Amino acid sequence: MTYLTKPKFHHPALPKNELGYTHRDYEGSVSTLCAGCGHDSISGAIIQACFELSIEPHRVAKLSGIGCSSKTPTYFLGHSHGFNSVHGRMPSVLTGANLANRDLIYMGVSGDGDSASIGIGQFVHAIRRGVNMVYIVENNGVYGLTKGQFSATADRGSKSKRGVVNRDSSIDLITVALQLGATFVARSFSGDKQQLVPLIKAAIEHKGAAFLDVISPCVAFNNHAGSTRSFDHVREHNIAVNRLDFIIGRTPITVDYAPGTVEIIEQHDGTKLALRKVAPHYDPHNRLKAMNYLQESAAAGEIVTGLLYVERESEDLHGHLNTVETPLNALGEKELCPGSQVLEQINASLR
Ligand SMILES: Cc1ncc(C[n+]2csc(CCOP(=O)(O)OP(=O)(O)O)c2C)c(N)n1
Ligand code: SF4
Ligand SMILES: [Mg+2]
């Protein structure tokens, strides 16, 4: 059995958002993952973010590949569109869907095996093309679903549950995403909902490829001493460079901060992010410096989290290709079959 339905009743006094929906309206089926799996906390954070942003569930398309992480879209946004694709192939399905209908919010959910091993070729092209999406990798350093083999993101020198040492170099998806031109790049931890929820909200509102690497411990196969993806290890080595306090609408910001401690970032649609600096010298607008900082920190064994890079004037794939505004399913016969004369003109222009 892959999912269990949830009972529909709930407390009548549950808080409602602007649309009149409760938190329950953003849930999915009951999770069948292991109790304590980090992935379930990420599902909870996605539910919270969509509830707080008052998103209409039918405006979201959630897509995934194969893995415990890729199963999770069943456990959130039960009233949204969903597509569970082949292992590592979610990015191309998402790209196609996005090109056909730009009006939906695209959420790609994947694992470190799904995106950094079998699906690395798909991952890199979706990111470099700037597909407008939230791409979340639930990163536990192992193939959880197939019983705990090292994935390509497992750190060199880390130990498997059976005591085997990983001798291969690891792929840092954050550094890869930065190199490929992602316009929103963040890392977080499934155990830090306060950091994760605002990052998901900001990623949803970002126009372009928004990549979120979320360290998400696998309690069954990668939560032991010697693992660098265990709850204890991540808590001890987590260095947050900043905190997104909240996202404000188009209204003026009235909260007072000490000078230099908070940066207000305006997004393409006029919404604003308030970014509280924890590491005062970290600049989330400098791609190269961010890459250097991440490499140095990784060499020192630190796991850097927060909003690591954001581009103020971002553009997406539709902008690059200059596509029509109207989703393909809303185009009428006149636009789709403009007649033999137009076809003749096109053919003539190609001769
Ligand atoms: C083409 C193909 N190759 C291999 C598999 C077997 N397989 C299923 S899930 C998986 C790895 C999943 O790891 P990850 O994406 O990290 O997800 P996790 O379970 O750790 O969340 C593999 C190798 C498959 N389903 N399809
Ligand atoms: S095997 Fe690991 S990743 Fe899969 S559900 Fe269990 S704890 Fe989560
Ligand atoms: Mg994994």
Side-chain angles (χ1 to χ4, degrees):
M1 186 185 296
T2 53
Y3 72 91
L4 301 166
T5 47
K6 258 182 198 168
K8 290 212 166 59
F9 61 86
H10 61 75
H11 196 280
L14 274 185
K16 291 187 174 155
N17 64 14
E18 280 170 22
L19 298 174
Y21 291 139
T22 69
H23 196 271
R24 297 282 330 252
D25 296 312
Y26 293 86
E27 292 178 352
S29 307
V30 175
S31 171
T32 58
L33 301 186
C34 307
C37 175
H39 299 351
D40 278 335
S41 308
I42 302 173
S43 299
I46 293 172
I47 290 168
Q48 185 72 21
C50 292
F51 168 76
E52 287 178 14
L53 286 177
S54 293
I55 287 173
E56 294 167 303
H58 69 271
R59 287 202 49 239
V60 179
K62 38 176 193 160
L63 297 98
S64 62
I66 301 287
C68 299
S69 36
S70 292
K71 281 170 70 179
T72 62
T74 306
Y75 313 135
F76 61 81
L77 298 178
H79 302 291
S80 300
H81 306 277
F83 195 110
N84 193 209
S85 75
V86 180
H87 196 22
R89 272 51 164 199
M90 173 273 285
S92 55
V93 179
L94 190 154
T95 304
N98 183 300
L99 281 172
N101 185 356
R102 60 160 75 183
D103 280 357
L104 298 178
I105 295 164
Y106 288 92
M107 200 173 277
V109 178
S110 182
D112 41 315
D114 200 59
S115 281
S117 299
I118 193 169
I120 186 92
Q122 297 249 330
F123 167 75
V124 294
H125 292 292
I127 296 287
R128 66 178 265 277
R129 286 180 177 139
V131 180
N132 189 14
M133 62 182 171
V134 181
Y135 194 123
I136 298 179
V137 168
E138 306 192 345
N139 190 347
N140 53 18
V142 287
Y143 302 162
L145 191 74
T146 53
K147 307 230 175 292
Q149 303 86 346
F150 286 126
S151 79
T153 67
D155 288 318
R156 189 205 286 258
S158 61
K159 267 192 193 157
S160 75
K161 197 174 173 183
R162 287 191 300 123
V164 178
V165 176
N166 179 31
R167 301 276 173 215
D168 297 337
S169 296
S170 68
I171 295 175
D172 176 25
L173 290 173
I174 289 279
T175 309
V176 176
L178 283 168
Q179 194 278 320
L180 292 167
T183 45
F184 181 107
V185 180
R187 182 183 280 131
S188 192
F189 171 42
S190 63
D192 188 350
K193 216 169 170 181
Q194 275 194 329
Q195 183 190 51
L196 183 55
V197 173
L199 285 174
I200 294 172
K201 287 162 73 176
I204 289 174
E205 297 208 350
H206 181 79
K207 184 179 187 178
F211 176 62
L212 265 158
D213 180 37
V214 186
I215 309 293
S216 176
C218 168
V219 290
F221 300 109
N222 207 8
N223 198 30
H224 47 270
S227 157
T228 54
R229 295 286 182 277
S230 65
F231 278 108
D232 285 350
H233 184 93
V234 180
R235 282 201 186 100
E236 279 161 25
H237 297 81
N238 184 349
I239 308 280
V241 285
N242 49 40
R243 288 259 165 193
L244 258 184
D245 280 349
F246 47 77
I247 303 171
I248 322 157
R250 288 155 192 81
T251 47
I253 292 159
T254 51
V255 187
D256 278 343
Y257 290 105
T261 57
V262 165
E263 183 196 354
I264 305 299
I265 303 172
E266 195 151 339
Q267 304 228 96
H268 71 102
D269 60 353
T271 57
K272 291 172 184 131
L273 315 178
L275 193 65
R276 185 158 45 92
K277 297 178 182 181
V278 179
H281 302 298
Y282 189 83
D283 177 5
H285 307 296
N286 191 320
R287 198 179 280 278
L288 282 180
K289 281 193 180 157
M291 286 164 79
N292 265 342
Y293 182 85
L294 287 164
Q295 292 297 312
E296 282 165 14
S297 306
E302 292 167 352
I303 301 169
V304 178
T305 58
L307 178 55
L308 303 174
Y309 180 77
V310 63
E311 210 162 288
R312 290 190 191 91
E313 301 296 323
S314 57
E315 198 189 55
D316 78 331
L317 179 62
H318 286 281
H320 303 166
L321 297 178
N322 194 23
T323 54
V324 284
E325 292 276 334
T326 318
L328 298 191
N329 64 0
L331 290 175
E333 198 185 334
K334 204 166 139 258
E335 292 95 351
L336 294 170
C337 303
S340 49
Q341 225 182 333
V342 176
L343 181 62
E344 195 44 52
Q345 280 169 9
I346 294 170
N347 284 343
S349 74
L350 297 171
R351 276 182 201 124

